[in-house]
Amino acid sequence: MRIFRTRKCVYVLPLIALLIVLMFFLHYHNLETVTTTQTKYDPEKQELIQVLKKAAMEDRTVILTMVDESHARPGSMLEVFLQSFEYGQGTQRFLNHLVIITTDPQAFRYCRLLHQHCIHPATFQPYFSARRPSVTSVTTPDHTVLFSWRRNHVLIQVIELGYNIIFTVRNNGLLINLNNCMYDVTFVLMQETDVLWLKSPLVNFHPQYELSISCNFVNVGESAFSVQEGGIFFMKANYVTPGFLQDWKLTKILHPNSTVDESMCATLELHKDLVDINGVRVHGIDTNHFGGFCQTYNDMLEDAYTIHANCCHDLKSKVHDLRIVLDDWIRFRNRVSKNNATEKIALRWPQKCTEHTALEFP
């Protein structure tokens, strides 16, 4: 009997192993079938997956930005944005991890001339196919709302694919009045590529927190405060962030006349319930590390990892002043390399943006 049982066990173990192999074979066969089917019926989505796979860092982090035709043309913001990676300190490698979402065919064609990872607008249909009517106040440009909807859908899709995101913030600045619990945003303006990368900002991002962002809230009265955003934020892909992004999108659907939800910083301040309910851990970054035109000081080039052309609502003025910032940064690096770091460089910017300042911050 013992011999029979021993022989029985000898046969059972290989049988179990064979069953496991068959299960794995069937699983990957079905997965391949599903992937083939998706490729056949959704080629744009498969293109997005392939681009993200090629551009991702080892920890599945990608850098995202969005441009339309006004930002992607000769002499435009996109050119200055890409040049900052070339001249930044240790930032050249990030060009391999930068994915540019284009919102119209013209922007896509020009993007392909400058960069290797460009996403065609057809990938995010129908959100890029037609302009949505403005649901904000008359002081807010219609493209502001359009970009907000596009941004939310892009973030959700990329996060759900399991990729961490470094995203350029599109909000310039906000002045929020609190009247009877109603939010009155005096001004909102969104851009995408108006951020220069001077040094690698990765050291500022908390690898365990869902969101790392630089927000500066300034009280301008008993019932009002201004919001200044640092230009970029980091969002980690895990089981928490998709729900947060979906709820963020839902607030815009439930409150279509509110422009507060265009700003990530304003959302964190005024919709803290979204953060608490979803269990999002927020890491606040020193505002000096993500500098901007709203508040300048002489040592910005030493402290800042990025420079954001905020508090400026004219696109030509942004391009003009950011080119000066980039030129000053090159001069600053040359002095550092020649051991002349103690010799200060007086800021020559902003110049034209001071004539188009949307908000006056104290």
Side-chain angles (χ1 to χ4, degrees):
M1 291 296 292
R2 291 182 180 179
I3 297 177
F4 176 76
R5 290 178 181 177
T6 302
R7 290 179 177 177
K8 185 177 181 181
C9 292
V10 170
Y11 289 111
V12 168
L13 291 176
L15 181 61
I16 295 176
L18 179 61
L19 290 175
I20 293 174
V21 171
L22 289 174
M23 290 174 62
F24 274 104
F25 173 78
L26 291 174
H27 170 75
Y28 285 111
H29 176 72
N30 292 335
L31 182 62
E32 183 179 359
T33 302
V34 171
T35 303
T36 303
T37 303
Q38 289 178 343
T39 304
K40 181 178 179 179
Y41 294 102
D42 196 358
E44 289 83 8
K45 187 64 172 292
Q46 291 305 309
E47 179 184 0
L48 173 64
I49 293 174
Q50 293 300 319
V51 171
L52 292 175
K53 184 178 180 180
K54 293 178 182 178
M57 304 178 196
E58 292 183 359
D59 64 347
R60 295 180 66 84
T61 296
V62 292
I63 304 168
L64 294 184
T65 192
M66 292 174 61
V67 297
D68 59 15
E69 188 271 338
S70 66
H71 287 72
R73 60 175 63 175
S76 65
M77 187 73 68
L78 180 60
E79 290 185 353
V80 185
F81 177 68
L82 295 176
Q83 287 172 3
S84 72
F85 287 90
E86 295 287 351
Y87 293 106
Q89 182 178 342
T91 57
Q92 296 86 351
R93 66 184 181 92
F94 291 121
L95 285 173
N96 297 325
H97 308 298
L98 171 65
V99 177
I100 300 176
I101 311 295
T102 62
T103 63
D104 52 73
Q106 294 86 348
F108 176 75
R109 286 193 292 268
Y110 191 70
C111 179
R112 291 292 297 270
L113 296 177
L114 303 179
H115 191 61
Q116 60 178 329
H117 301 312
C118 302
I119 300 296
H120 194 276
T123 303
F124 294 98
Q125 295 283 13
Y127 311 116
F128 290 9
S129 61
R131 296 179 61 85
R132 292 177 179 268
S134 177
V135 295
T136 60
S137 63
V138 293
T139 59
T140 304
D142 183 62
H143 73 271
T144 296
V145 182
L146 182 67
F147 264 68
S148 176
W149 282 91
R150 290 170 171 175
R151 171 203 58 192
N152 292 353
H153 291 295
V154 168
L155 291 177
I156 290 173
Q157 289 199 32
V158 176
I159 285 289
E160 288 182 343
L161 289 172
Y163 289 92
N164 309 319
I165 294 175
I166 301 174
F167 194 79
T168 55
V169 178
R170 295 170 299 122
N171 296 87
N172 242 323
L174 301 95
L175 181 62
I176 301 179
N177 298 314
L178 306 177
N179 298 316
N180 298 323
C181 298
M182 297 297 292
Y183 309 137
D184 177 20
V185 180
T186 303
F187 179 81
V188 180
L189 181 64
M190 300 182 180
Q191 301 294 341
E192 283 299 334
T193 53
D194 58 348
V195 178
L196 299 185
W197 284 51
L198 306 183
K199 291 171 284 189
S200 170
L202 298 187
V203 295
N204 295 285
F205 303 145
H206 198 297
Q208 301 301 323
Y209 280 39
E210 282 74 33
L211 181 63
S212 295
I213 191 170
S214 175
C215 299
N216 191 13
F217 300 98
V218 180
N219 292 325
V220 295
E222 294 183 357
S223 60
F225 67 91
S226 64
V227 182
Q228 302 166 20
E229 304 205 11
I232 64 177
F233 65 77
F234 169 78
M235 180 167 287
K236 186 178 181 63
N238 59 17
Y239 65 94
V240 171
T241 45
F244 170 73
L245 290 174
Q246 292 287 356
D247 288 345
W248 186 19
K249 185 175 70 172
L250 182 61
T251 60
K252 189 62 183 176
I253 297 175
L254 296 177
H255 307 284
N257 295 323
S258 172
T259 50
V260 169
D261 304 307
E262 318 300 341
S263 165
M264 176 68 79
C265 285
T267 299
L268 296 176
E269 179 68 14
L270 299 175
H271 294 293
K272 296 180 180 180
D273 55 323
L274 297 182
V275 177
D276 297 336
I277 292 174
N278 290 283
V280 175
R281 293 167 295 180
V282 180
H283 171 61
I285 303 174
D286 188 342
T287 55
N288 290 334
H289 291 169
F290 287 170
F293 289 175
C294 289
Q295 292 179 328
T296 60
Y297 59 95
N298 287 333
D299 295 331
M300 283 189 69
L301 293 178
E302 297 181 19
D303 299 336
Y305 291 79
T306 63
I307 297 290
H308 183 204
N310 51 13
C311 289
C312 183
H313 68 272
D314 181 77
L315 187 57
K316 291 184 179 179
S317 297
K318 282 175 176 282
V319 174
H320 176 272
D321 283 3
L322 285 178
R323 288 191 183 278
I324 298 177
V325 175
L326 189 58
D327 182 60
D328 283 353
W329 169 249
I330 295 173
R331 291 169 53 223
F332 174 77
R333 289 201 65 190
N334 289 336
R335 291 191 179 187
V336 171
S337 64
K338 296 177 182 179
N339 297 321
N340 293 327
T342 57
E343 186 179 350
K344 301 296 182 182
I345 295 180
L347 299 185
R348 298 185 296 143
W349 40 273
Q351 292 182 5
K352 290 191 174 183
C353 280
T354 58
E355 303 172 3
H356 301 277
T357 300
L359 297 174
E360 293 294 337
F361 295 100

